[in-house]
Amino acid sequence: MSANPPGDTTPVTVSGLQQPSGGGAPGNRRWLVLAVVGLAQLMIVLDVTVVNIALPSAQRALHFSTVDRQWVVSAYALAFGSLLLLGGRLADLLGRKVTFMAGLAGFAAASAVGGAATSLGMLVAARACQGAFAAVMAPSALSILTVNFSDPRDRGKAFGVFGAIAGAGGAIGLLLGGALTSYLSWRWTLYVNLFFAGLALAGAALLLRREPSRAGGRLDLPGAVLVSGAMFCLVYGFANAATHNWHTPSTYGFLAAGVVLLAAFAGWQGRAPAPLLPPRVVLDRNRGAAYLGMLTASAGMFGIFLFLTYYLQNTLGFSPVVTGFAFLPMVATLMVFANVSQIVLMPRTGPKPLVGFGLLIAAAGMVWLTRIGVHSSYAGGVLGPLLITAVGLGLTIAPSVNTGTFGTALSDAGVASATVNVGQQLGGSTGTALLNTVVASATASYLAAHLNPRTVIGGHPAPALVQSSLVHGYTVGFWWTAAIFAGGSVICGLLFRRGPLARTGGGDSQPQAPPKAAAAEPAAAGGRPAEASIRPDPGPTQRPGGLTIRIS
């Protein structure tokens, strides 16, 4: 092992070590950074569901149709999903503090405009701006954690908290949305973001250090156009399938265009001089499996929120506020097991058994949930399956988020973080569209099969038959969700490598810095500390248990 000679200020690259020069927050300050990042992530995740609860009230206030209501949700999803990878690369090029704070400020401004909306067009435009600024903020938030927490033990704790927020934020949004809509106004589901963003902005200004923009860094504009177009078409196609059907040209046409653009993007990234998403990020088996695990968990999780909310409100007669409280046991359980998976289990087992068995446990919870009926109770029919599913998701989401950003170069931290968010966003869109179609078809088929003179009252199906049809549709949707989880379990189990992340070929691919090398000594003449970044030593030259130091 060697270091810079006196007077040489050339950056030192320590293989496997992820420690930014001046970018990480020292000591206990990192945990305050975690609080700031967690608050921003909570705002992003809960905003997906908090507005859903308020939509009926907003519809009455602004006088728009039920068909138009989908655009309030779709505008956010389209902008967010389309611009995530671009937002991640901007964080790498411009500096994470700059993009994080710009995203926070823009998201808050868009929320204020949305809360004051006087027409559907104004509300939809504000939601689209929210999605665009969230696409800048979300990758920056996750990459800030990546560069501030390099010690395996602290990293496990930090990503346990972050994963718990990512998994439970949607359920918290249901509770918050119900309370704000019932006791204040639907507008407060948007105004509440000003409180979150204000706290996060103040914390970011005080705690985060500004990083210099990358000298000579270039933005891959063709790649940005291709992937943004691909994500727009895919998200729009799936959203359209959820509200129309799979056979309409606006569904399969956009989906086909999305696939073509995505293929063109993949081909371009292999030969682009400065690719937007370097192939090395996604071709790593562990990271690729982590992105797939995030997509699978999100596809099933958003289906749970959607159809279980319908069941609790329409069948069991819960109010929006009580429905939100009904998800609290799931939130608590998911948070506990997200942290257990990261702090206790991940250092011992690695992600392979956690994600594989986690998705399998979630599938078992979904199978149990298929036993609900029209006259089931919350305690007897819903609570148990909800807790089991939360255990599985807690074991899946946090390790997937951690693994998806593990071992990347500092210059790729933003785009790797964005890819994790793409998995979550695309999983939510595809899962909701697919499950919505399945549930609607199963409900209609059950209703048609049971129509007879005894079940028709005044030319309409009897209320009891309607409820039975709806519950049948929900149970079919839960069976499909179980299949999604089980399929993801098998595929992720096969893709993940065995063992803890820190072990590769008998050595540490991302070891803790030894006491004498934890921070490179300042150069004698230049007085500038050497910069460390992650560049795992390629090939057979890596020695077990050792560090390889290269001068770059």
Side-chain angles (χ1 to χ4, degrees), residues 324-502:
F325 275 105
F327 281 101
L328 281 184
M330 178 186 184
V331 172
T333 304
L334 196 155
M335 286 184 168
V336 168
F337 278 88
N339 282 279
V340 168
S341 68
Q342 284 296 102
I343 299 170
V344 179
L345 301 177
M346 187 85 159
R348 294 177 171 85
T349 67
K352 185 182 181 77
L354 294 179
V355 176
F357 284 112
L359 288 172
L360 207 56
I361 292 170
M366 286 293 96
V367 172
W368 187 2
L369 197 56
T370 61
R371 297 176 62 85
I372 60 171
V374 175
H375 303 293
S376 298
S377 66
Y378 171 76
V382 177
L383 181 58
L386 208 57
L387 294 178
I388 295 298
T389 304
V391 171
L393 292 175
L395 294 175
T396 300
I397 293 175
S400 295
V401 173
N402 188 348
T403 307
T405 58
F406 186 91
T408 55
L410 291 176
S411 59
D412 294 332
V415 75
S417 303
T419 310
V420 173
N421 283 281
V422 166
Q424 184 178 28
Q425 179 65 23
L426 197 57
S429 299
T430 57
T432 300
L434 174 63
L435 295 173
N436 194 64
T437 304
V438 167
V439 169
S441 176
T443 301
S445 299
Y446 185 95
L447 187 64
H450 291 79
L451 282 176
N452 58 63
R454 291 178 298 176
T455 59
V456 176
I457 301 175
H460 300 283
L465 176 59
V466 172
Q467 286 297 329
S468 297
S469 301
L470 289 172
V471 171
H472 174 75
Y474 301 151
T475 57
V476 171
F478 294 144
W479 275 113
W480 275 75
T481 305
I484 292 172
F485 285 148
S489 169
V490 173
I491 297 173
C492 290
L494 292 174
L495 284 178
F496 275 117
R497 297 188 183 94
R498 294 181 182 274
L501 289 177

Side-chain angles (χ1 to χ4, degrees), residues 66-81:
T66 301
V67 175
D68 291 332
R69 195 166 70 181
Q70 64 161 317
W71 289 108
V72 180
V73 177
S74 298
Y76 181 90
L78 287 170
F80 189 29

Side-chain angles (χ1 to χ4, degrees), residues 190-263:
L190 293 161
Y191 287 146
V192 71
N193 292 322
L194 299 178
F195 171 74
F196 290 125
L199 288 178
L201 271 171
L206 293 173
L207 297 171
L208 298 181
R209 298 178 180 177
R210 181 169 181 176
E211 303 163 326
S213 57
R214 278 174 53 188
R218 289 186 296 170
L219 184 62
D220 177 17
L221 288 178
V225 171
L226 286 171
V227 76
S228 296
M231 293 302 299
F232 180 92
C233 290
L234 290 173
V235 172
Y236 180 84
F238 283 116
N240 196 69
T243 54
H244 295 83
N245 60 64
W246 296 92
H247 304 294
T248 58
S250 57
T251 296
Y252 63 75
F254 272 95
L255 290 176
V259 171
V260 171
L261 289 173
L262 200 60

